[in-house]
Structures are given as C-alpha cells and as structure tokens.
Amino acid sequence: MDLLHLKAPGNWINDPNGFVYYRGEYHLFYQYFPYAPCWGTMHWGHAVSRDLVHWEHLGVALFPTRYEDQNGCFSGSAVEQDDRLHLFYTGVHYDTIDPQNTHRVVNNSFQAAQLTISSPDGRRFDNFGGKQVAVPRLEDPAWGDRTHTRDPKVWRGADAWYMVLGSKTPDNRGKLLFYRSRDLALWEPAGSAAAPQGLGWMWECPDYFELDGGQVLLCSPMGIAAPDGETGDHTICMQVRFDEAACRMELPETYQFFDYGLDLYAPQSTLDAQGRRVVIAWLRMPEPVEGRWCGMFCLPRVAELKNGRVRFRVHPNAERMYARRIASPGQAEAAGYKLCLELAEGQWAQIGGYRLALQNGCVTADRSRVFPAGAGRVKCAAPPVGSRARLEIYVEPNLIEVFINGGEYTLSSAVYGLTQELLLPPGQQAELYTLA
Ligand code: FRU
C-alpha cells in the first residue's frame, strides 16, 4: 500500500498510464520494468485507490505477447464503455535486437502501433487473446512517423470517440495526430496539427481536455528549452482551440510549463468522482533509492483555468490528509509533512538542506546539498510573482513540491537524503502539518 505518492513497488516505473475512475475506484497504471531499477522492456503495472490517497498495488496488468508489442507496452490511456474498461497503448517492436541487452533499443530504430485490450472488471486482462490493433504501424511519413508515434489518449467526444497521438513531422517538429471511432474498435484518421518550430522535435504523451470553459493541451516535447534555456524533455501546457467535428487544433505560440522544477514529466489527467480534472505526473529520479526502486508520482493535482492560465492545486483528498499540527520535521509521519511559509524579496528558507528563496520576484530552488553530485541540474526558478510569495511546501523523503500563491506556479524537485533541519527567515514561525 502506498500513501499519497505512488512509488515503484520495486525496480522501475515511469509515466502514469490509464488513469481513470471506473466502478467506484481510481485505476492508475504505469510504465513498469519489473526486473531491475532501470528502464527496460515496458510492462504496465497497476494500482487502485478509492480516494486518490491510499494506493493498492495489483502487479502487472500488461506485458509483451504479440509481434506488435514484443519489445514493450508503451504509454496510453483508459476509458469505460458498456461497463468494460478499455486500455489503449503503444506496442513497440525493435528493428534489431542488441545481442547483449534485449531490453535496449539499437539506434532508436523500431516500429510503433497502437493497441487496445479490454477488461470485464478492470482487473483481468487477457494478454494472450485479448489484444487488438487499433492503429497499425504508420507507412506515410507525411502523416506521421513510423517510430515516433505513441501514447494514445482517448476520450469521449460529443458524437464519437477520439484519440490523440504524439508524433513528429519529417522536419523534426512535434505533431499531434487525431483519430475518430464510433465503437472503439475501428479508428479513422481525422486530422493533425504540427507544432511551431522551437517546441521540440517530437511530442510525447499529449492529453487534451476541456477545462472551465476553455480547451487545454498538456504535452511533453522532447528537446525543448527549459525555463533556464537548457534543452531537454519538459512538459508544457497550453490553451488551444479545438474544433472536434473537423479535428482541427490551433496551437498557440505561447505556453507555460506544467511545473517549474526539472523532474516532473509525462502527466496524465482524468476526471475525478466529482468531475474535477485531476493530473498525476512522473517524478524522474536520477538513481534508485536504497538500490531498490526508482520512479514515483507527484501528489494528485486539480487543474483549473483562471485568467487565461492553467493553475494546479493539491487535490482536496490529499490536502485533507495534512491535518495534524507539529512543531518540527522530526515529529512528522514517514509520508512527510506540509510547511506553509511566506517569503519576502531577498528572504530564503532551508528545508532539510533544500533551499528556497525569493530573488528578483522569482521563487528559486537549490537542491545541491540534497542531490547526488553530477546527477543533473540542481537550480531552478518559477516565473516572477512580485515582492512576496506564499508557499505551500509538501515534503516527503524524495520529493519536494512547492505550490506558489495557491497554485499560480508549482516547482517540484527530486531530493535524496533530506535532513530534519529547518531554517526559516527571521521572525517566522514554522507552520507544519503531518498526517493525522
Ligand atoms: C515518456 C515516454 C513515452 C513512452 C514511454 C516509454 O516518458 O517516453 O513517450 O510511451 O515513456 O516508457
């Protein structure tokens, strides 16, 4: 059982997949390599929860069985129809096999197809007999890439089912491909949208939804400049215009980052039991914890559209858990604590070695004291918010999530070896809460 943050149950996890509320339970699947704490042939691991807070691990749901998914069951999504749970995912088949390591792709050369499998109860998946090809390998590069087309996100539209896939153009820009289906079985290409230059060479994990009267796209471009200008893979969020009947999407030039730390990636959203848009993302971790497990998810976040910007706040079910006031981090439960704090320009606080400051109107973070040396970047900053910032900081042993001004921006970082020391700006009392 995992509490609040879902973690690899051993070995390796990456993206959240198939996030759905089905028959009174949240199902959360994930990219899973069950044999070692590193990326390898992808399976889908599976967990369920009644409240988005207490997660029960159910083991492996999907594993390679067919020609199309011989080398992995990549990311995808879930929908309910006629009381059955339908999963959509990308099957990959490597063009050549590395004789030394069959779990690694050679020269990034493989083919991708979109597959589907359904379950009568959300728990039983017939991996040997139940998989169908929804969208076969692409043959026309002008439409989409044979290799880099993946991560089907399916949703129910006004009159049909829709699927969006992340892909690339022949000149290495991100691209979205849309498909439509009446029955979840037969899928027809219905439209596409190419990203402007400068937003990465391929788009992973697209997720489109309506939000508070607007239309929002979350996606994870590979090779995009982070807020500090360095190129990498980072999740962005934008308000789009989508004409469903024509499957035409207008992508704006402007976007925001999903999170202003450097580690959250490949989020997936669904509607919760109350109809809120809830999002969970993968925390990239540079090395396994205790040599045993690598990869976990952030707290569930509720997305809201306010004044033309998407904001994220902690889901109330998770927020509610931090109900017991404590005097110091040493009194916190193992699952961590929440710290409320206000910083004025020039002030800083240090949480177990993790330093937050307000500098030139921006909340900045420095994890150099609590991060393996040489394992990646240690500093990041959110956009300017003015001369004061109200922070809600959720601390657990390997993740610090900062919500700035009630979710105006978030900044989350992977950490290792936090101490129990708390250094606050002069005159500030610690306002700390742990699990009741
Ligand atoms: C994103 C991603 C997806 C892919 C999966 C493979 O992190 O690269 O695009 O489906 O991970 O594990």
Side-chain angles (χ1 to χ4, degrees):
M1 177 77 85
D2 279 348
L3 192 58
L4 288 160
H5 298 87
L6 187 131
K7 299 180 176 180
N11 299 310
W12 171 273
I13 72 171
N14 51 285
D15 316 354
N17 295 155
F19 189 23
V20 68
Y21 185 64
Y22 168 72
R23 289 194 180 178
E25 279 181 322
Y26 295 95
H27 289 255
L28 185 53
F29 300 83
Y30 48 84
Q31 290 287 281
Y32 182 33
F33 186 55
Y35 309 127
C38 61
W39 191 90
T41 304
M42 280 293 123
H43 297 47
W44 276 33
H46 187 190
V48 289
S49 172
R50 295 215 161 266
D51 56 6
L52 293 167
V53 167
H54 301 84
W55 290 101
E56 180 194 349
H57 282 278
L58 297 182
V60 171
L62 301 186
F63 55 90
T65 50
R66 286 180 63 119
Y67 177 87
E68 292 85 353
D69 68 7
Q70 165 178 312
N71 298 104
C73 303
F74 275 21
S75 287
S77 57
V79 291
E80 175 182 351
Q81 190 197 33
D82 298 335
D83 203 32
R84 291 180 73 89
L85 188 68
H86 296 258
L87 306 183
F88 291 84
Y89 69 99
T90 303
V92 302
H93 184 106
Y94 292 168
D95 292 329
T96 47
I97 296 293
D98 178 347
Q100 299 301 323
N101 181 354
T102 59
H103 294 292
R104 281 280 158 191
V105 65
V106 182
N107 295 332
N108 228 356
S109 177
F110 61 94
Q111 61 184 57
Q114 314 313 318
L115 306 186
T116 180
I117 184 170
S118 77
S119 164
D121 58 2
R123 296 191 181 234
R124 286 172 291 154
F125 297 91
D126 178 4
N127 277 268
F128 292 103
K131 295 175 179 173
Q132 306 290 333
V133 175
V135 178
R137 177 186 87 193
L138 301 183
E139 304 288 353
D140 176 8
W143 166 249
D145 196 74
R146 156 191 192 276
T147 299
H148 295 292
T149 296
R150 57 179 169 266
D151 308 337
K153 180 81 201 283
V154 174
W155 74 95
R156 179 72 208 174
D159 59 346
W161 294 97
Y162 290 84
M163 175 193 291
V164 60
L165 296 172
S167 189
K168 69 185 274 296
T169 64
D171 66 345
N172 295 322
R173 280 179 296 143
K175 188 171 183 185
L176 301 175
L177 308 180
F178 297 98
Y179 287 77
R180 185 186 283 119
S181 173
R182 304 274 152 215
D183 57 4
L184 288 179
L186 186 68
W187 290 88
E188 308 268 13
S192 70
Q197 284 285 0
L199 292 191
W201 64 269
M202 189 263 156
W203 279 13
E204 297 189 305
C205 302
D207 190 347
Y208 163 76
F209 47 87
E210 292 180 1
L211 187 68
D212 302 328
Q215 298 174 311
V216 170
L217 179 78
L218 274 173
C219 68
S220 298
M222 299 177 85
I224 187 175
D228 65 3
E230 230 178 277
T231 300
D233 306 341
H234 302 288
T235 300
I236 61 173
C237 185
M238 46 174 75
Q239 248 189 289
V240 295
R241 278 217 246 164
F242 185 54
D243 174 348
E244 193 175 86
C247 267
R248 202 173 296 130
M249 186 176 277
E250 281 175 41
L251 300 169
E253 302 269 325
T254 52
Y255 59 90
Q256 54 184 102
F257 285 91
F258 168 64
D259 186 280
Y260 287 82
L262 297 163
D263 309 310
L264 290 190
Y265 193 66
Q268 190 171 93
S269 79
T270 193
L271 290 176
D272 76 0
Q274 282 73 36
R276 304 178 195 103
R277 181 58 56 173
V278 47
V279 187
I280 285 182
W282 166 42
L283 179 80
R284 291 186 284 215
M285 299 172 69
E287 60 182 42
V289 176
E290 290 156 8
R292 244 175 17 83
W293 63 272
C294 199
M296 59 181 279
F297 295 158
C298 68
L299 289 172
R301 299 178 175 188
V302 175
E304 285 164 340
L305 189 61
K306 264 193 198 157
N307 307 326
R309 285 199 69 261
V310 183
R311 301 166 66 113
F312 297 95
R313 62 185 170 93
V314 175
H315 190 282
N317 292 7
E319 166 75 52
R320 212 175 286 137
M321 296 295 290
Y322 298 86
R324 182 162 66 88
R325 185 90 192 241
I326 49 172
S328 68
Q331 298 170 348
E333 298 290 321
Y337 61 94
K338 168 183 164 181
L339 166 63
C340 303
L341 191 67
E342 207 174 296
L343 290 182
E345 177 62 32
Q347 287 188 324
W348 57 269
Q350 203 164 291
I351 302 150
Y354 185 74
R355 186 184 277 244
L356 290 168
L358 189 65
Q359 292 170 311
N360 304 321
C362 300
V363 176
T364 64
D366 177 353
R367 64 175 167 194
S368 51
R369 295 166 197 79
V370 284
F371 201 64
R377 280 184 277 174
V378 291
K379 291 186 181 179
C380 52
V385 288
S387 58
R388 296 194 82 79
R390 193 162 44 79
L391 308 182
E392 273 133 39
I393 306 159
Y394 295 82
V395 182
E396 79 93 65
N398 293 101
L399 170 60
I400 298 189
E401 295 172 79
V402 182
F403 291 75
I404 304 167
N405 293 339
E408 193 176 341
Y409 300 106
T410 65
L411 191 160
S412 307
S413 300
V415 291
Y416 291 77
L418 284 181
T419 70
Q420 292 184 346
E421 179 188 58
L422 193 57
L423 302 176
L424 298 180
Q428 261 202 57
Q429 295 300 313
E431 197 184 327
L432 288 167
Y433 302 87
T434 192
L435 311 192

